[in-house]
Structure formats: C-alpha cells, structure tokens
Amino acid sequence: MESTENKQKKKPPQKPSVVNVRWVVTIMAVSFVLSVVMSYISNEALNSAGTVLSFVVLFFFIGLGIVFDMIGVAATSGTEKEFHSMAAHKVRGAREAVWMVRNAEKVSSICNDVVGDICGIISGATGALIVTHITAGTDGVTKVLVSLLITGLISAGTIGGKAAGKGIAVAASGKVLALCGRVLSVLPLKLDNKR
C-alpha cells in the first residue's frame, strides 16, 4: 500500500498540452477553404486578363498580405487595457478589439500564417502568369531575365511592405485594433469574449 502511494507521489505533474489539436484541425480546414476560394478568384480574374490587369491582381494580393500581417502583429503587440473603458461606454468595435488581444495567438495564426501565406502563393502564381504574358515569343535568356526581375519585385514588395507594416502595427497597435474591431462589429460573427 505504501509503495503505491510513494509511486503516485513521485509521479511528475502532467503538463498541459502545448498543441491545441482542435485549433490546428480548424485552422487547416479554414486555410484549405480560403486557399481554394482565393485561388479561384485570382484564376477567374486572370483568365482573360492582360498584363496590366495581371499586375493589378498581383499588387492586390501583395497588399492584402501586408494588411493582414499588420493586423496579426497589432493583435500580438496590443493591450486590452485601452479598450476596457471604450467597451464599457459601448463604443463600436471595442469588445471585438479586446477579443483580438485576448486571442492574439489565433488572430496572428489566421492573419500572418493563413492569409499571409495564401497571398504569397497566389502572388507567385500571378507573377508566373505575368512572365508568360510578357515573354510570349521571346528567347530563353529573355524569359529567364524577366522571370528573375518579376520574382525579385514580388519578394521586395512583399518583404519591404511587411517590414514597414510591422513598424506601423507596433507603434499604432491601438488604432489598428480599433479599426479592425469596427469592421468585425459589422460582420455577422459571434466572438466569445471569455477567451
């Protein structure tokens, strides 16, 4: 009897699971659906598009990736303290901003990883299509040079934009979250404020 009690006492306490399996499965399903929808929209827009419209679609997806990266950074660097009095006074979007800060890990995962990565993939595919448009009927060297130039522009635009956006998101996290909160308050979403 004593040996059983001693074994139970010596057992180390169980650590809570680091990986939330339910959240991982949910985010995988959401990313799959978003990826399919966004790819479909970009393909439809680019099917009969010329070079100029292809560039518009490209810049749209680069910009979308930058904006969502800013939202994810603002959620992780913001504090809910500034929104408590606003929420008490029923200011539109304050409750949603508090929810975003309390769920910063999930918001960051959706904004930075899901939307950001999908936008990066679609930007690359759009860039390849632009290269095909521009280099139709040219020699191999021109195709390689144009491909390198477009790839470099996409990378520089995305990385430079995200670097600038991160600085803004950290410095003005309250304003970014307040704006996002107002947008979320209009959407038909149920946000649980407990966690």
Side-chain angles (χ1 to χ4, degrees):
M1 192 78 164
E2 270 182 45
S3 62
T4 310
E5 284 177 14
N6 285 342
K7 282 180 184 175
Q8 287 175 347
K9 285 179 184 176
K10 287 179 184 176
K11 258 188 179 179
Q14 294 292 324
K15 289 183 180 177
S17 177
V18 177
V19 179
N20 184 342
V21 177
R22 186 176 170 200
W23 171 246
V24 171
V25 171
T26 303
I27 205 69
M28 284 173 68
V30 168
S31 61
F32 176 79
V33 172
L34 276 176
S35 180
V36 168
V37 169
M38 289 170 78
S39 293
Y40 176 76
I41 291 168
S42 68
N43 286 340
E44 285 299 306
L46 295 169
N47 258 346
S48 56
T51 307
V52 174
L53 188 57
S54 298
F55 270 108
V56 170
V57 172
L58 173 65
F59 291 133
F60 169 76
F61 280 106
I62 290 173
L64 192 67
I66 293 167
V67 168
F68 273 86
D69 191 68
M70 286 175 67
I71 296 168
V73 171
T76 55
S77 63
T79 58
E80 58 181 276
K81 190 175 18 173
E82 58 190 304
F83 297 106
H84 284 305
S85 64
M86 291 167 68
H89 290 94
K90 307 262 192 238
V91 174
R92 182 181 280 277
R95 283 177 55 236
E96 288 77 8
V98 170
W99 180 89
M100 288 178 73
V101 174
R102 287 183 182 172
N103 294 276
E105 179 188 333
K106 292 178 180 179
V107 172
S108 175
S109 185
I110 290 169
C111 293
N112 298 88
D113 301 331
V114 177
V115 178
D117 290 351
I118 290 169
C119 286
I121 291 164
I122 293 174
S123 297
T126 306
L129 195 69
I130 290 169
V131 170
T132 306
H133 279 303
I134 293 172
T135 59
T138 59
D139 61 357
V141 176
T142 307
K143 284 181 182 175
V144 170
L145 289 173
V146 171
S147 177
L148 291 172
L149 178 66
I150 296 294
T151 304
L153 285 172
I154 293 169
S155 299
T158 304
I159 294 165
K162 285 186 177 183
K166 277 180 172 60
I168 295 167
V170 170
S173 60
K175 289 179 182 175
V176 173
L177 290 171
L179 181 61
C180 292
R182 282 194 203 99
V183 172
L184 286 174
S185 70
V186 176
L187 300 175
L189 297 171
K190 274 275 197 188
L191 300 177
D192 181 18
N193 273 342
K194 290 174 189 169
R195 178 69 195 134

